[in-house]
């Protein structure tokens, strides 16, 4: 069975909609700025990749806005785009349309605001619990469109979106669905979440006055990641079904690999990353030297970027020096459970356009990061096989492989 991508939708700090997002990515536009959604003066990290000019009233009534957390609104907007892009899915039985969404934090903005109200002895909104639920995004997508098939939520920290895509692939291969809406959404640019990552020494704190330069994957002087937010959603179908209904196809989803390194709850581990990438290649029946491009996890943390570089060099050996690599997070920050879904869209766009977006702010590479990271300028290159990496807290490592048809 060949599984293909027939629809895509994205909400990101550098653009909403695939074309706007990709145009900005190719130009190396930074979406990192000083936080506008709350007073960050008491935080050490005062910058983030926020989705600006997002107005849920453009596609939701006030009644439904009251019932949805911001992450759900992102997910639904991206899903609307993807389903429209796929030409609608009316030809499928609603009972055969599945939804698998990933989110690391779920409705955390509702949790934080409601907890604060409760501590102040104020009433909390009646839809507090449904807004907080991590599965609310998938549930609302299903409810809006009447999708009555499998509905799953994956929460594996930063690899949530990638695991959701892989789970969708498995549902199609196993015959449990005819089409699957997959992806990830996150909205945790919030005081508590930011402070939580700050005390882990995970966030950048040295570039508050130069936000656009703060996310610096693989660069000397990087000091942590930048919190981001957004959503990415894909429509997956079996190729013959897609072609039979006349749908356009963007790429083949060829392989999925997931491995827990079982080493440390927050520190990355090379062995687990190698295992995930190797499993994905085996699942796709692709040899390492056939891979042209990797959309790296590349969060801009001092240790994480080195470990991923070592993992790539270990698995790909001499071919590692011939790979093109780039880091979407250099422009949009780290959107946790949405990051791999947005990264997957960037990977597919690379296959479609034969253009590799840059890793911005890579003026002086870390000596331990010595591969081709597409520094600062987009590059045109023939790309037939591409990989997207996502490595999360809890030792959950995921890789997915896309190929041209």
């Amino acid at each position: 069975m060949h599984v293909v991508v027939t629809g895509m939708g994205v909400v990101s700090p550098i653009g909403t909609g695939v074309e706007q997002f990709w145009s900005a990515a190719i130009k190396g536009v930074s979406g990192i700025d000083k936080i506008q959604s709350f007073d960050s003066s008491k935080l050490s990290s005062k910058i983030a990749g926020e989705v600006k000019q997002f107005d849920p009233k453009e596609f939701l009534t006030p009644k439904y806005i009251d019932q949805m957390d911001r992450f759900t609104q992102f997910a639904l907007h991206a899903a609307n785009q993807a389903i429209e892009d796929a030409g609608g899915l009316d030809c499928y039985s609603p009972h055969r349309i599945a939804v698998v969404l990933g989110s690391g934090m779920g409705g955390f903005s509702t949790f934080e605001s409601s907890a604060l109200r409760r501590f102040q002895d104020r009433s909390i909104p009646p839809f507090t619990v449904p807004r907080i639920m991590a599965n609310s995004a998938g549930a609302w997508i299903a409810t809006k469109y009447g999708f009555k098939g499998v509905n799953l939520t994956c929460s594996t920290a930063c690899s949530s979106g990638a695991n959701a895509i892989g789970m969708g692939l498995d549902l199609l291969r196993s015959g449990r669905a005819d089409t699957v809406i997959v992806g990830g959404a996150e909205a945790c640019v919030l005081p508590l979440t930011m402070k939580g990552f700050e005390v882990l020494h995970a966030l950048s704190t040295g570039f508050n006055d130069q936000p656009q330069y703060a996310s610096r994957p693989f660069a000397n002087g990087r000091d942590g990641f930048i919190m981001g937010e957004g959503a990415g959603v894909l429509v997956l179908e079996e190729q013959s079904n897609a072609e039979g209904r006349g749908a356009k196809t963007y790429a083949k989803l060829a392989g999925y690999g997931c491995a827990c390194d079982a080493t440390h709850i927050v520190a990355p581990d090379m062995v687990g990353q190698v295992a995930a990438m190797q499993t994905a290649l085996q699942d796709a029946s692709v040899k390492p030297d056939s891979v042209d491009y990797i959309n790296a996890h590349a969060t801009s943390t001092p240790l994480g970027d080195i470990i991923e570089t070592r993992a790539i060099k270990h698995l790909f050996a001499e071919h590692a020096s011939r790979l093109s690599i780039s880091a979407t997070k250099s422009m949009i920050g780290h959107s946790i459970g949405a990051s791999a879904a947005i990264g997957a869209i960037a990977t597919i766009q690379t296959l479609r356009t034969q253009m590799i977006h840059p890793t911005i702010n890579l003026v002086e590479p870390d000596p331990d990061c010595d591969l081709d990271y597409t520094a600062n300028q987009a590059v045109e290159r023939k790309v037939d096989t591409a990989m997207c990496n996502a490595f999360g807290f809890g030792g959950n490592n995921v890789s997915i492989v896309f190929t041209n048809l």
Side-chain angles (χ1 to χ4, degrees), residues 123-144:
S123 63
I124 63 174
F127 273 83
T128 292
V129 170
R131 284 169 59 111
I132 291 173
M133 297 186 315
N135 68 308
S136 63
W140 272 110
I141 293 169
T143 299
K144 175 176 181 180

Side-chain angles (χ1 to χ4, degrees), residues 216-220 222 296 298 305 309 327 359 362 364-366 369 373:
R216 306 162 61 80
F218 307 113
N220 247 351
R222 66 189 183 281
D305 294 355
T309 296
T359 300
L362 187 51
E364 181 184 353
D366 183 328
C369 299
Y373 306 111

Side-chain angles (χ1 to χ4, degrees), residues 149-304:
V150 175
N151 194 295
L152 299 174
T153 296
C154 179
S155 187
T156 54
C158 312
S159 61
S160 299
N163 266 324
I165 293 169
M167 292 165 69
L169 176 64
D170 287 346
L171 285 173
L172 288 166
R173 286 172 168 173
S174 66
R176 296 183 65 194
D178 291 330
T179 184
V180 191
I181 315 303
V182 299
E186 207 76 80
C188 53
V189 179
L190 302 162
L192 179 58
T193 312
M194 295 280 291
K195 192 64 180 180
F197 281 105
E198 188 179 292
V199 297
L200 284 172
H201 304 289
L203 296 182
S204 171
T205 59
F207 294 87
N208 287 320
D209 294 330
Q210 297 177 302
Q212 69 272 26
Y213 301 114
S215 188
R216 306 162 61 80
F218 307 113
N220 247 351
R222 66 189 183 281
D223 67 335
F225 76 79
I226 309 301
M227 186 66 75
E229 62 178 0
V233 173
L234 313 175
V235 176
L236 305 181
E237 302 177 61
E238 199 276 321
Q239 185 174 2
S240 62
N241 288 342
E243 292 174 347
R245 70 180 187 88
K248 60 181 177 294
T249 53
Y250 289 121
K252 177 183 174 182
L253 174 55
Y256 162 53
C258 180
C260 181
D261 55 55
T263 301
H264 196 281
I265 198 68
V266 296
D269 178 77
M270 188 189 82
V271 174
Q273 295 180 10
V274 170
M277 291 188 288
Q278 188 170 45
T279 302
L281 293 175
Q282 290 171 346
D283 188 48
S285 298
V286 168
K287 295 181 179 179
D289 60 6
S290 295
V291 177
D292 303 302
Y293 168 71
I294 296 177
N295 187 277
H297 183 61
T299 59
S300 188
T301 58
L303 180 61

